[in-house]
Amino acid sequence: MNAIIGILINLISFIWSITKVLIPIMIIIEIFKDTQLIDRLSKAIKPISNFFTISEKSGVSLLFGMTFGLTIGAGAIIQSVKDYDVDKRSIFLITMFLSVCHALIEDSMIFAGVGANIAALLGARFISAILITFILSKFIKKDAFEIEK
């Protein structure tokens, strides 16, 4: 019984940790939307969106995920889907990119602490993510995720 209570306490603690991060990010995204910073960011990263053939508004989720990590990137993706009706193909490609290249700042600081070559690490992760996402973007058709009626 004590083990189950311990697991539940850890679970609640974990959920609270994620909530403390996601709610501020969602608030920041809303502020960005209200001040049209999302639109400016989307225009600034339009070449990246075009390169991966993803929707323009979904590029912001890519930036959040690269900078802050998967949890925040996921929150940004969820918010983008709700607010901008981002297509499933774009979500899939962003997820593939972030699976390789997420939390660049966070992870780099952790690996620097154990003596990793940061330039090599960043280069390998970034190039791998670009190649994987670009290849997938060419093979996955725009209507691949649509349900036939």
Side-chain angles (χ1 to χ4, degrees), residues 110-121:
I110 291 168
F111 286 114
V114 295
N117 181 340
I118 299 304
L121 178 68

Side-chain angles (χ1 to χ4, degrees), residues 33-131:
K33 274 187 357 193
D34 291 344
T35 59
Q36 273 107 27
L37 281 173
I38 289 271
D39 295 331
R40 286 187 230 153
L41 270 174
S42 294
K43 286 178 186 172
I45 59 175
K46 188 175 181 179
I48 296 168
S49 300
N50 289 342
F51 180 75
F52 291 129
T53 62
I54 58 176
S55 68
E56 189 175 318
K57 298 288 185 193
S58 62
V60 176
S61 303
L62 189 70
L63 281 178
F64 273 98
M66 280 178 53
T67 308
F68 301 111
L70 289 175
T71 305
I72 295 169
I77 290 169
I78 291 167
Q79 197 68 32
S80 294
V81 170
K82 286 181 181 178
D83 295 342
Y84 301 112
D85 195 31
V86 175
D87 61 291
K88 291 177 183 176
R89 180 181 177 274
S90 295
I91 294 167
F92 176 77
L93 291 172
I94 289 170
T95 305
M96 290 299 99
F97 187 93
L98 291 178
S99 67
V100 178
C101 191
H102 61 276
L104 291 177
I105 296 169
E106 245 179 287
D107 287 354
S108 298
M109 291 187 329
I110 291 168
F111 286 114
V114 295
N117 181 340
I118 299 304
L121 178 68
L122 287 174
R125 288 179 69 194
F126 198 64
I127 290 169
S128 299
I130 289 171
L131 286 174

Side-chain angles (χ1 to χ4, degrees), residues 9-22:
I9 289 171
N10 287 337
L11 179 64
I12 291 169
S13 174
F14 176 70
I15 291 171
W16 176 243
S17 305
I18 292 174
T19 303
K20 288 189 301 188
V21 172
L22 280 180

